[in-house]
Amino acid sequence: MCGISGVMSAQRGAVDKDVLERANTTMKHRWPDASRVWVSESKKIWFSHARLSIVDVDHRSDQPFSIDNGDFVIVFNGEIYNYQLLKDTLIHQYNVVFTTTSDTEVLLYMYKHFGKDCLQQIEWMFAFCIYDRKADLLFIARDFVGQKPFVYSLVDNVFYFASEIPVLFSLCPHLSKDINMDILQLYCIDNLFHVPNNFCIFKHIHKLDHATYMVVKDGNIIEQARYTTLHKKTLSSSEDEVTFLYNKLEEMKPRDVEFASFLSWGIDSSFICSGLKRHTDKKTDAYTLKIGPQDKDFERSIFVSEKLGVEQHIVDVDGFDMLASVNESIKILGEPYFHITSVFADNILQHVKKDHKVMFTGAGGDECYYGYNNKMFLCMDAYFRIKKCLPTFVIDFFNAVTKKKYATLLYAERDSFKEKYLLYHWDNIKYLFKKKEQQAW
């Protein structure tokens, strides 16, 4: 995962280069390979990029990346899966001469020749910002499902953006840390241990919604709209469906770096491991988490790995020890978050990153319907509807109760895993309010 950040102002010198370099330092967990800063000639636009190189690992593809003598400049986090096909189109139809083998250069030329309509052709995960010098504007977009993060804030006619909330506070130290109480209350609803994707816990920070593009000029948003890249495809049989998914998986395989996969014993990760193993005699690595000696999922995963012929690596962890990594995750994300599956994944990745840059995961299938508890969507909708009808004193009371909901956990001996889980959940909220009181992030 790369990290991006930047500033656009109507006036010269809204920030200086040291501020952007400090912002890149805030994203140091994202850039083992390269880190660069770019400033426009007008000193009104500033970009910084922290790179994890996946496609074309050569430094010629480092970002911010520009073409046409700086007429178009991009910072980009993500990967364009069909970039080879798009590259062929650009070569044959527009005689484009490429200087790299990266998807970044393809994306930038796609914008040059198609404008915002390029979003109808690129697949998939991305969050990017392009500076169009001739039009003197920023064109920003986020992928269809919101896989890559993009947060922004407007302060005194200056537009700030980044991949992570803490980076915004590095770019703009006087950015307000006022809490959005509506979202804090949503977070505190049982089982909703995260801030929903299109909301932010801070009142003056916003997240660009999925499948949305935005145009910024002179530090102000002048256009924001939805787009769609969802095209209906009719498949005649279940065999065609399997072939289609295998082909998509093949399209996603990185060519320039080593990759592996998570493996539980579920359909998603088992299918992915099967797809990665097809058409290759190379070793296919799969990583499985083992939580204690009675882990039945681990035993089933051994059966799957033997059937598929993949090389299985076991990561032994203790459930209580894993909770210690939560606070570090909160510092990176900048807002309360506790999804136990992601905590498990983070612990595996600490082992994996030594040998692999890309991990395939089956996460996403259940999540499309909010995991196994999709009634939470109805709860969220009902909450906002009901709140509109409540008198102010009731809302104020609910605000006070929300802040203290888990306070009793701090005054008792907690032994069970669930109780310690909730204790860390409360720590997330305490951390948030502690940060609000600080003058700088």
Side-chain angles (χ1 to χ4, degrees), residues 263-265 270 296-310 312:
L263 176 63
S264 59
W265 63 278
S270 300
K296 298 296 184 183
D297 287 353
F298 164 70
E299 296 176 5
R300 297 184 182 105
S301 72
I302 296 176
F303 171 80
V304 174
S305 65
E306 290 175 350
K307 286 291 184 182
L308 295 178
V310 298
Q312 187 180 28

Side-chain angles (χ1 to χ4, degrees), residues 5-16:
S5 63
V7 180
M8 184 184 207
S9 172
Q11 307 297 325
R12 293 171 60 91
V15 297
D16 57 39

Side-chain angles (χ1 to χ4, degrees), residues 36 38-40 47 59-76 97-100 102 104-109 112 129-133:
R36 290 203 322 196
W38 170 86
V39 184
S40 68
F47 284 171
H59 286 296
R60 64 188 177 184
S61 295
D62 288 350
Q63 302 176 46
F65 187 88
S66 64
I67 59 173
D68 293 2
N69 297 315
D71 281 350
F72 301 94
V73 185
I74 187 173
V75 281
F76 162 48
V97 178
F98 288 92
T99 60
T100 74
S102 70
T104 303
E105 188 176 15
V106 172
L107 175 57
L108 197 49
Y109 273 111
K112 174 186 174 180
C129 178
I130 294 174
Y131 172 53
D132 186 333
R133 183 167 63 179

Side-chain angles (χ1 to χ4, degrees), residues 6 13 78 96 134 138 152 160 162 190 210 225 248 287 298 302 306 326 350 375 380 387 433:
V96 175
K134 291 181 179 178
L138 301 182
Y152 66 93
Y160 300 89
D190 289 342
H210 64 279
K248 282 297 178 183
Y287 287 80
F298 164 70
I302 296 176
E306 290 175 350
V326 174
Q350 296 304 313
K375 65 179 181 291
M380 291 167 60
K387 187 170 181 180
F433 282 98

Side-chain angles (χ1 to χ4, degrees), residues 230-292:
L230 190 61
H231 305 294
K232 185 176 180 181
K233 185 176 179 64
T234 302
L235 301 172
S236 58
S237 68
S238 59
E239 184 177 349
D240 288 341
E241 292 175 5
V242 172
T243 302
F244 174 77
L245 291 173
Y246 274 145
N247 289 340
K248 282 297 178 183
L249 191 57
E250 190 68 26
E251 194 177 83
M252 295 177 186
K253 279 185 184 180
R255 273 69 175 173
D256 301 331
V257 297
E258 294 296 322
F259 60 87
S261 175
F262 290 101
L263 176 63
S264 59
W265 63 278
I267 294 174
D268 296 330
S269 63
S270 300
F271 181 88
I272 288 171
C273 284
S274 173
L276 295 177
K277 185 65 178 174
R278 292 175 85 232
H279 308 308
T280 181
D281 294 327
K282 291 179 62 178
K283 179 185 69 172
T284 302
D285 292 304
Y287 287 80
T288 301
L289 195 69
K290 182 181 179 183
I291 309 174

